[in-house]
Amino acid sequence: MSDFKDKPINRLVIESHKLWEGCILASCVHGVMLAEYPFTLDENKWSGGIYVVDNDEREKAALVFSNDEENELMLGMFCDFMSQRTELVLSEEYSRSHYRGAPEDIQDMAEALSILFEIKAGEKSLPFVTAGFWGEEGQIFSHDNYEDWLEHGGHILEVLMMPFEDAMSYYESKCSMDAPRMEIAERIYRERIKSPTGKAVLKRDEIALLKATGPYNIHVCREVFRQFGVVFEGEG
């Protein structure tokens, strides 16, 4: 299997802002279910404009957004241990090759982000990256075509790219969400995306409902919500 040295750069049909909204929805669902299922703590994380999803199927994706009113998608990095590329990927050179031809600041950003994908290889820790893309002037580019990107890591984002109703149906089934928590997740999602740089507020009665599902885990919920701009009523 060849590397990316001679592969062209392709434009992927991905709507940057819609993907950000999908990440916010996934995070809202994660937050409302976390009190009952604290073992899912590491599945969704935000740090500024960086969103990381790390699921139980040995798959991981990190997305970097501009963290402003536009929330433009700047970079995506993916790891899928089931990918047929697994014989190639365990090297810094291969990790960087996904971003060859990208603007220099994106390449620097990708190199820094790759630390999240490091695994132990003998005495060294090396990045394990099976796919990647970057944003430039409102468009998304990759050395993979869309099908190859999906096959080697992009499928991790499939639910995040679904229309709202389809995504909620998926979460209702996968997470065993009851109607009250579905309503909370939808309300704070809509409030949060309405003001991309602002905050959404979880009301006291909503907090009480979540606390009833896991009274010893509500502090974990609070911290996770804060990561993506959702605060508890009265706490600012």
Side-chain angles (χ1 to χ4, degrees), residues 2 22 40 55 83 88 120 129 159 177 187 196 205 212 222-223 228:
S2 63
T40 66
N55 65 29
S83 167
L88 291 173
K120 200 72 175 175
V129 180
V159 178
M177 294 182 73
R187 189 194 67 75
D205 60 331
R222 179 187 291 109
E223 293 309 311
F228 62 101

Side-chain angles (χ1 to χ4, degrees), residues 22-41:
C23 295
I24 294 294
L25 178 58
S27 300
C28 291
V29 170
H30 182 227
V32 301
M33 299 304 294
L34 192 56
E36 183 176 1
Y37 302 118
F39 56 86
T40 66
L41 177 61

Side-chain angles (χ1 to χ4, degrees), residues 20 24 67-69 71 188 191-201 225-231:
W20 176 79
I24 294 294
N67 203 29
D68 54 22
E69 197 71 28
N71 286 299
I188 57 176
E191 185 174 337
R192 184 65 186 80
I193 66 172
K194 185 177 180 179
S195 178
T197 57
K199 294 185 182 299
V201 177
F225 276 125
R226 280 186 177 274
Q227 290 178 4
F228 62 101
V230 180
V231 298

Side-chain angles (χ1 to χ4, degrees), residues 73-196:
L73 185 56
M74 302 174 69
L75 177 69
M77 190 171 286
F78 306 86
C79 170
D80 176 9
F81 284 105
M82 299 302 292
S83 167
Q84 292 181 1
R85 292 175 174 168
T86 54
E87 296 299 318
L88 291 173
V89 300
L90 193 56
S91 74
E92 293 174 353
E93 181 183 2
Y94 194 85
S95 174
R96 290 194 296 266
S97 70
H98 293 284
Y99 306 94
R100 187 177 289 116
E104 187 173 346
D105 62 329
I106 294 292
Q107 295 189 48
D108 291 343
M109 193 183 304
E111 186 170 356
L113 191 65
S114 68
I115 194 173
L116 300 179
F117 292 77
E118 287 184 349
I119 65 172
K120 200 72 175 175
E123 296 298 315
K124 299 179 68 176
S125 292
L126 294 170
F128 197 100
V129 180
T130 54
F133 62 48
W134 70 91
E136 193 173 348
E137 296 183 354
Q139 300 186 71
I140 308 301
F141 298 97
S142 174
H143 285 282
D144 283 317
N145 60 37
Y146 193 85
E147 291 72 22
D148 286 343
W149 169 70
L150 279 178
E151 180 180 352
H152 297 291
H155 58 274
I156 304 168
L157 305 183
E158 284 189 296
V159 178
L160 306 182
M161 296 189 293
M162 286 182 180
F164 173 82
E165 296 296 339
D166 293 342
M168 284 301 285
S169 294
Y170 170 85
Y171 292 131
E172 179 182 15
S173 174
K174 182 179 186 294
C175 305
S176 301
M177 294 182 73
D178 53 23
R181 281 182 288 186
M182 286 189 69
E183 291 174 3
I184 295 172
E186 179 173 355
R187 189 194 67 75
I188 57 176
Y189 160 75
R190 295 199 181 282
E191 185 174 337
R192 184 65 186 80
I193 66 172
K194 185 177 180 179
S195 178

